[in-house]
Amino acid sequence: MDLTWLEEALGNISSVVWGPYVLIPLLIGTGIYLTFRLGGLQFIKLGAALRLGILKRKDAGSEGDISQFQALTTALAATVGTGNIVGVATAIAIGGPGALFWMWITGLVGMATKYTEAYLGVRFRGTDAAGEKSGGPQYYLERGIKGPFGKVLGLMFAIFATIACFGIGNMTQGNSIASNVESSFNVPTWITGVTLTVLALLVLVGGIKVIGRVTAGFVPVMIIFYVAAALYILIANIGSLPSALAEIFTHAFTGTSAAGGFAGSAIIIVIQFGVARGLFSNESGLGSAPMAAAAAQTSHPVRQGLVSMTQTFIDTIIVVTMTGLVIVTTGAWKAIDPETGEQISAALMTGEAFTNGLPGEWGHWVVTIALVMFAFSTILGWSYYGERNIERLFGRRAVMPFRIVFSLIVYIGCTVQLGVVWAFSDVMNGLMALPNLVGLLVLSGLVARETKHYLKHDPKLEASKEEIEAFMAGREGWDDWKAGDVVGSSRRNL
């Protein structure tokens, strides 16, 4: 059955949703607005947030299902994926080295957005029928924005997120793994599909506590593995680094002229693809990460919001930067495919960069192994996001069947062509972001007010549970939040 027409139609819709007149200005505008509203929180409190999330790791004795560190790694599992490898290459292939600069900008302002949505995810979380915390845009849009408008926004998000999780968080990731493993190691796609399905089942049926334990051990290893390989290349090519940085900053504001097989771009294209791929990578504003944040054991929403904010920093400012600098310093962005005589495709660009930068065939293997780890971790993270929205729509009884079906669909993703699914996923991701961003703007006053109050009393994020209780006593909504049921439990949806 020829679905080319559908793929083209979805591509046209996606280009509008993710284009320069809808999501990109809304995402960037929201990030800039929240940055000013929160007083540059992401710059002032980054050090304290990293210390709390990565070194201290948990608020002992606090309500929640997983530690703050596990919530961070679960969100990182979902965001550090193919976008950090292929997405960066795509942005540079079309927009030139300057696209990396605009990816940095989206990361920096996106940290304020990520903080805000994570704060709200914890602030308006509830408790489901199994006693697990449940939160995210599907709840804070309805509970934070009174009346029919909030209910409609919350329902829209839940529907779009449920559909999107099967695409961008499942089949497309499995397809990327299977195709790369087949290309590198000649493993048939069906074998990869069976293996991934079994592994996914083993992890996902255990729910967020098992996912949290797995990602806490797995995600740091995969990031360190990839960053270490990239650092080796950068050190080996240290002489090329200054000129590479000069190209990035120069091309960010001038665009790149056509040269050889390179598809030249004007400044608007550099910005568009840098921003779009940056947001695709770190998911700030998409509404996904607050669902993981809501499960965290934390003594105050501000604390988990700040920990979640570091996710964008790690994803974009560290991992994306490593990929982009390796591509530019090795000259892979200008490489010519000997068979076609044209610029090498984005799908091969990162592999080409690592192959040139590492001895022997290591580079090709490193990229394949990293992509397998990144994509599988994305499957784990997005399964939880889908589960929380299924729980919102159909109640707790639908969660276990969803986990099983989600795991089985991984096999389909590994073994079929997914052009239509990729296009459909882009559209659903964009539609997820729209109601969430509207909600963040509406609720920004609440977030700014409560953040200012908390940080006035605990600027270094070192207050004990008792000290927090003392300066929060009598604060509107505090007693309800401590009860774990802010304005009504999610079990009402059963």
Side-chain angles (χ1 to χ4, degrees):
M1 184 177 183
D2 186 8
L3 296 177
T4 304
W5 65 272
L6 179 58
E7 186 175 346
E8 291 179 355
L10 289 170
N12 291 333
I13 296 172
S14 178
S15 65
V16 172
V17 173
W18 285 100
Y21 305 110
V22 183
L23 264 185
I24 289 180
L26 183 57
L27 282 160
I28 289 294
T30 300
I32 292 173
Y33 174 75
L34 292 173
T35 295
F36 280 101
R37 193 82 195 255
L38 295 168
L41 180 78
Q42 67 267 48
F43 308 111
I44 298 170
K45 297 299 177 184
L46 177 60
L50 287 168
R51 184 174 64 251
L52 176 61
I54 297 176
L55 297 180
K56 186 177 179 183
R57 297 195 171 195
K58 60 183 179 180
D59 277 353
S62 298
E63 288 289 324
D65 303 317
I66 56 178
S67 70
Q68 290 176 319
F69 179 71
Q70 289 173 334
L72 172 62
T73 56
T74 299
L76 275 171
T79 54
V80 178
T82 55
N84 295 78
I85 297 177
V86 180
V88 178
T90 300
I92 293 175
I94 299 173
L100 183 59
F101 172 85
W102 294 107
M103 294 182 85
W104 291 337
I105 296 301
T106 64
L108 292 174
V109 301
M111 289 169 69
T113 307
K114 187 64 65 74
Y115 167 80
T116 302
E117 56 188 0
Y119 172 93
L120 292 170
V122 178
R123 171 67 176 80
F124 290 100
R125 69 186 181 183
T127 307
D128 69 16
E132 293 182 351
K133 297 301 178 186
S134 192
Q138 70 274 33
Y139 289 113
Y140 65 64
L141 292 172
E142 177 180 350
R143 295 172 175 176
I145 303 173
K146 303 300 183 184
F149 184 54
K151 293 181 185 298
V152 170
L153 289 178
L155 184 61
M156 285 172 59
F157 179 88
I159 293 171
F160 294 144
T162 299
I163 297 171
C165 80
F166 287 103
I168 200 65
N170 186 320
M171 288 190 284
T172 56
Q173 304 298 326
N175 192 267
S176 295
I177 293 173
S179 59
N180 276 273
V181 169
E182 183 180 42
S183 174
S184 297
F185 305 111
N186 295 316
V187 177
T189 56
W190 72 268
I191 293 179
T192 302
V194 170
T195 304
L196 289 179
T197 298
V198 171
L199 289 174
L201 274 169
L202 290 174
V203 176
L204 300 186
V205 294
I208 186 58
K209 293 182 179 180
V210 174
I211 293 172
R213 288 196 294 269
V214 170
T215 58
F218 181 61
V219 169
V221 171
M222 78 178 192
I223 291 177
I224 291 170
F225 166 77
Y226 185 74
V227 170
L231 281 174
Y232 174 91
I233 296 173
L234 294 178
I235 292 171
N237 293 274
I238 193 71
S240 302
L241 194 56
S243 61
L245 291 170
E247 282 187 305
I248 290 168
F249 285 101
T250 301
H251 293 166
F253 300 98
T254 62
T256 304
S257 300
F262 178 71
S265 59
I267 180 63
I268 187 64
I269 295 178
V270 179
I271 297 173
Q272 179 179 345
F273 278 89
V275 171
R277 290 301 163 182
L279 293 168
F280 180 78
S281 173
N282 62 51
E283 296 183 9
S284 295
L286 193 63
S288 51
M291 291 181 269
Q297 296 163 346
T298 185
S299 52
H300 196 282
V302 166
R303 294 169 73 89
Q304 184 55 41
L306 288 167
V307 170
S308 295
M309 177 186 78
T310 65
Q311 171 205 336
T312 298
F313 176 80
I314 294 169
D315 176 277
T316 304
I317 307 303
I318 296 179
V319 182
V320 163
T321 296
M322 290 294 105
T323 302
L325 288 178
V326 167
I327 289 173
V328 180
T329 55
T330 59
W333 72 282
K334 295 183 287 188
I336 302 300
D337 189 328
E339 295 183 5
T340 64
E342 298 179 354
Q343 178 195 6
I344 193 170
S345 69
L348 301 175
M349 189 176 289
T350 306
E352 176 74 10
F354 275 79
T355 298
N356 291 340
L358 292 173
E361 295 296 319
W362 292 6
H364 186 66
W365 296 337
V366 164
V367 171
T368 298
I369 293 169
L371 193 144
V372 169
M373 293 193 295
F374 286 8
F376 182 67
S377 71
T378 298
I379 291 172
L380 299 182
W382 269 88
S383 70
Y384 182 68
Y385 298 161
E387 169 188 314
R388 291 299 90 190
N389 284 283
I390 284 290
E391 189 266 340
R392 165 65 180 84
L393 293 171
F394 304 108
R396 180 70 197 194
R397 66 170 66 90
V399 168
M400 185 57 74
F402 167 82
R403 292 173 181 171
I404 295 171
V405 170
F406 188 90
S407 300
L408 296 176
I409 287 179
V410 173
Y411 179 83
I412 297 174
C414 291
T415 54
V416 301
Q417 296 299 314
L418 294 177
V420 172
V421 175
W422 274 103
F424 188 67
S425 298
D426 277 345
V427 174
M428 287 299 106
N429 267 20
L431 293 178
M432 274 177 65
L434 288 173
N436 183 53
L437 290 169
V438 171
L440 296 184
L441 292 172
V442 173
L443 295 171
S444 61
L446 165 69
V447 179
R449 182 177 69 249
E450 294 303 313
T451 299
K452 181 179 180 180
H453 176 78
Y454 182 87
L455 293 178
K456 176 183 177 181
H457 294 88
D458 183 22
K460 296 183 179 179
L461 308 183
E462 295 176 346
S464 66
K465 198 173 178 182
E466 291 72 23
E467 289 171 331
I468 294 172
E469 176 63 38
F471 67 71
M472 288 299 297
R475 193 78 178 171
E476 183 181 357
W478 176 243
D479 288 336
D480 286 333
W481 184 79
K482 283 194 304 175
D485 199 23
V486 191
V487 284
S489 170
S490 57
R491 73 182 63 195
R492 67 197 171 123
N493 294 303
L494 288 172

